[in-house]
Amino acid sequence: AAERGPGAAYHMFVLMEELLDKLKLLSYEEAALRRHNMRPLSRCVSLAPPGGELQIFTIFSPFLNRHYFALPTNPGEQFFMFCTLAAWLITTAGHPFEQPQEYDDPNAVISNVLSQLRAFGRPVDFPPSKLKAGYGEQVCYVLDCLAEEALKYTGFSWERPAYPTEELEEEEITEDDAELTLSKLEEDIVEEESDSEENFIDLDVLKAQTYRSDMNDTAKQEEILQSTTDAAEWNLEVERVLPQLKVTVRTDNKDWRIHVDQMHQHKDGIESSLKETRGYLDKLHNEISRTLEKINSREKYINNQLEHLVQEYRSAQALLSEAKEKYQEGSGGVTERIRVLAEITDVLERVKQETEEKGSSMTDGAPLVKIKQALTKLKQETIQMDIQIGVMEHTLLQSKLKEKSNMTRDMHATMIPEATVGAY
């Protein structure tokens, strides 16, 4: 839209209005809507009755409004209307096309419509998902192209408009109302005051004139009972004077009297159009009132007939509430007992585990084997120690004996060497 210009956002409204003109030329309301038994489109209209509040009524009309496919109103209804009109236009253009139903696959219907549009030689430079919404520039473009092809097939051709010639009346050249000067404004005010003064008529003068005219009429009443005028001469005189009797009254749109007249005309039109609608509304109001009265009476009858059942239901509901309270109290005690049971179960599991460990250790022969091996090893070490002790005792005995023999020898010796004395 930014590349095409600032007015591209409003192009679909223009395209929709052109599409509506082409559909009217093809008589779509009779050939498409009524022929396929389609539900009429709804259009909301606000009406304000005199002295009443503003009310909104829904008027059913089989015709499209000017911007039906340009603005989102009801996507489902718009998409179904688009599919129906597209199928009818393709068939009108000479290509047989099956009428889509409400429960058909929308992607398949859109694909078939675009394939037919390409068959007509029209370019399609947008994704098919743009048509699923049922409104937008792409929807208007597709329907407009199909409408043009249908008009070509029916032999319709556009021609230049022929404007009717109007007879120009001689009008006096008036000054431009936009250019006002102070002097002209004062002159207009003086003229209006003079006109208003001339419009006032004295009542006494008017009474005298009416009395005089009544006297003249009574005096001449007998004379005008029989006319002596020729009818042919009267018609000739009427034809001669008739062009001069033409009076051209120029209306000023700024005059408040014209606005008041328009307000009265619009009021009369609204009242005349409201009469029929008010009749329908009164009938609808009466039907609704009767229906409400019937509903109230049936409701009272049902309440009276089911009074004892209602009482039983209330007593049963009270008992149910008491049972629920007791159940909640009991469930609270059960929960506490379940918790205590879980703790006791944990303690029991630990005791069982310790008992199993002790039993397995008591029945196992590995410690006894280890004790026997240790005793055997101790015996071997004891034997070795005994041997070592015997060897040490033998060595000690040998040393003591040797020392004793040396002392004996030294005692019996006659001379003791100096080296030996020094050694002791």
Side-chain angles (χ1 to χ4, degrees):
E3 296 177 356
R4 291 182 290 174
Y10 304 96
H11 177 67
M12 60 179 175
F13 295 96
V14 180
L15 196 63
M16 178 61 203
E17 293 182 0
E18 294 178 357
L19 170 63
L20 187 59
D21 293 336
K22 295 173 184 177
L23 291 175
K24 287 180 180 179
L25 290 174
L26 293 169
S27 302
Y28 76 100
E29 62 273 5
E30 295 180 357
L33 300 183
R34 296 176 184 173
R35 181 178 178 183
H36 296 291
N37 296 323
M38 294 186 62
R39 184 177 64 84
L41 303 177
S42 61
R43 186 180 303 169
C44 292
V45 179
S46 59
L47 297 175
E53 298 180 353
L54 181 64
Q55 299 179 2
I56 297 178
F57 306 97
T58 302
I59 298 176
F60 292 97
S61 172
F63 307 106
L64 297 173
N65 52 27
R66 293 172 61 245
H67 300 148
Y68 181 75
F69 289 113
L71 297 174
T73 55
N74 188 350
E77 183 182 86
Q78 287 176 310
F79 178 74
F80 183 66
M81 179 61 67
F82 161 72
C83 296
T84 303
L85 290 178
W88 172 69
L89 290 172
I90 293 171
T91 306
T92 308
H95 292 191
F97 194 87
E98 185 179 357
Q99 180 67 26
Q101 303 298 325
E102 293 184 2
Y103 301 102
D104 290 347
D105 186 10
N107 296 322
V109 175
I110 291 172
S111 177
N112 295 332
V113 171
L114 292 180
S115 63
Q116 292 292 334
L117 187 63
R118 293 188 185 95
F120 287 120
R122 299 284 183 166
V124 179
D125 55 354
F126 55 85
S129 59
K130 294 288 186 180
L131 302 178
K132 192 177 292 185
Y135 66 91
E137 185 177 358
Q138 291 78 12
V139 173
C140 297
Y141 167 75
V142 171
L143 292 177
D144 185 67
C145 294
L146 295 176
E148 288 183 0
E149 296 296 332
L151 289 173
K152 289 180 183 178
Y153 186 79
T154 55
F156 178 81
S157 61
W158 298 96
E159 297 179 356
R160 291 184 176 275
Y163 299 101
T165 57
E166 299 180 356
E167 295 181 358
L168 299 176
E169 298 179 357
E170 295 181 0
E171 297 181 356
E172 296 180 357
I173 300 174
T174 58
E175 296 180 357
D176 191 3
D177 294 338
E179 297 179 359
L180 295 176
T181 58
L182 183 60
S183 59
K184 183 179 179 182
L185 183 60
E186 292 177 354
E187 291 176 359
D188 294 339
I189 293 172
V190 172
E191 289 178 359
E192 289 179 359
E193 291 178 355
S194 61
D195 294 338
S196 60
E197 290 177 357
E198 290 177 358
N199 290 331
F200 290 107
I201 300 175
D202 192 359
L203 295 177
D204 296 333
V205 176
L206 183 61
K207 289 180 180 179
Q209 290 179 358
T210 53
Y211 178 74
R212 193 178 301 111
S213 61
D214 291 339
M215 293 298 293
N216 293 330
D217 291 339
T218 54
K220 296 180 181 180
Q221 188 174 4
E222 296 179 356
E223 296 180 359
I224 62 176
L225 290 175
Q226 185 177 1
S227 177
T228 57
T229 306
D230 188 5
E233 293 179 357
W234 179 268
N235 292 329
L236 291 174
E237 183 67 18
V238 169
E239 292 178 358
R240 184 182 66 82
V241 180
L242 186 60
Q244 300 177 3
L245 297 177
K246 186 177 181 181
V247 179
T248 303
V249 180
R250 297 183 181 88
T251 59
D252 187 8
N253 293 328
K254 297 180 181 179
D255 191 4
W256 62 272
R257 296 179 182 84
I258 296 175
H259 292 291
V260 173
D261 293 337
Q262 290 178 355
M263 289 171 63
H264 286 297
Q265 292 176 2
H266 291 315
K267 180 183 178 183
D268 295 337
I270 291 173
E271 290 179 353
S272 62
S273 60
L274 187 61
K275 287 180 181 179
E276 184 179 358
T277 307
R278 184 175 293 174
Y280 289 121
L281 292 176
D282 293 338
K283 184 178 179 181
L284 182 61
H285 179 266
N286 295 329
E287 291 179 357
I288 292 173
S289 301
R290 288 195 297 270
T291 306
L292 289 176
E293 291 177 358
K294 290 181 180 179
I295 291 172
N296 292 328
S297 62
R298 296 289 176 83
E299 185 177 359
K300 292 179 180 178
Y301 175 76
I302 291 172
N303 290 332
N304 294 328
Q305 293 293 326
L306 301 179
E307 184 68 25
H308 62 285
L309 296 177
V310 172
Q311 294 295 333
E312 292 179 0
Y313 174 74
R314 289 176 181 173
S315 61
Q317 196 170 10
L319 294 175
L320 178 62
S321 61
E322 293 178 359
K324 284 183 178 179
E325 291 178 357
K326 292 180 179 179
Y327 172 74
Q328 289 178 357
E329 293 177 358
S331 63
V334 171
T335 304
E336 182 67 22
R337 288 175 176 80
I338 289 173
R339 186 181 62 80
V340 174
L341 178 62
E343 293 178 356
I344 294 172
T345 304
D346 293 338
V347 174
L348 180 61
E349 290 294 333
R350 287 198 298 270
V351 171
K352 285 182 178 180
Q353 186 175 1
E354 292 177 358
T355 305
E356 289 178 356
E357 290 178 356
K358 289 182 179 180
S360 62
S361 62
M362 291 174 67
T363 56
D364 191 7
L368 184 60
V369 173
K370 290 180 180 179
I371 291 171
K372 289 181 178 180
Q373 291 177 358
L375 289 174
T376 305
K377 188 176 180 180
L378 286 173
K379 287 180 180 179
Q380 292 178 357
E381 290 179 354
T382 303
I383 293 170
Q384 290 178 1
M385 290 296 292
D386 290 338
I387 293 171
Q388 290 179 1
I389 289 169
V391 172
M392 290 297 294
E393 288 179 351
H394 180 71
T395 303
L396 183 60
L397 181 61
Q398 290 292 332
S399 63
K400 285 181 177 181
L401 290 174
K402 186 178 180 179
E403 184 180 359
K404 187 177 181 180
S405 62
N406 290 331
M407 287 178 66
T408 302
R409 187 186 60 192
D410 292 337
M411 287 175 66
H412 292 283
T414 55
M415 293 182 66
I416 299 172
E418 296 179 356
T420 305
V421 175
Y424 288 107

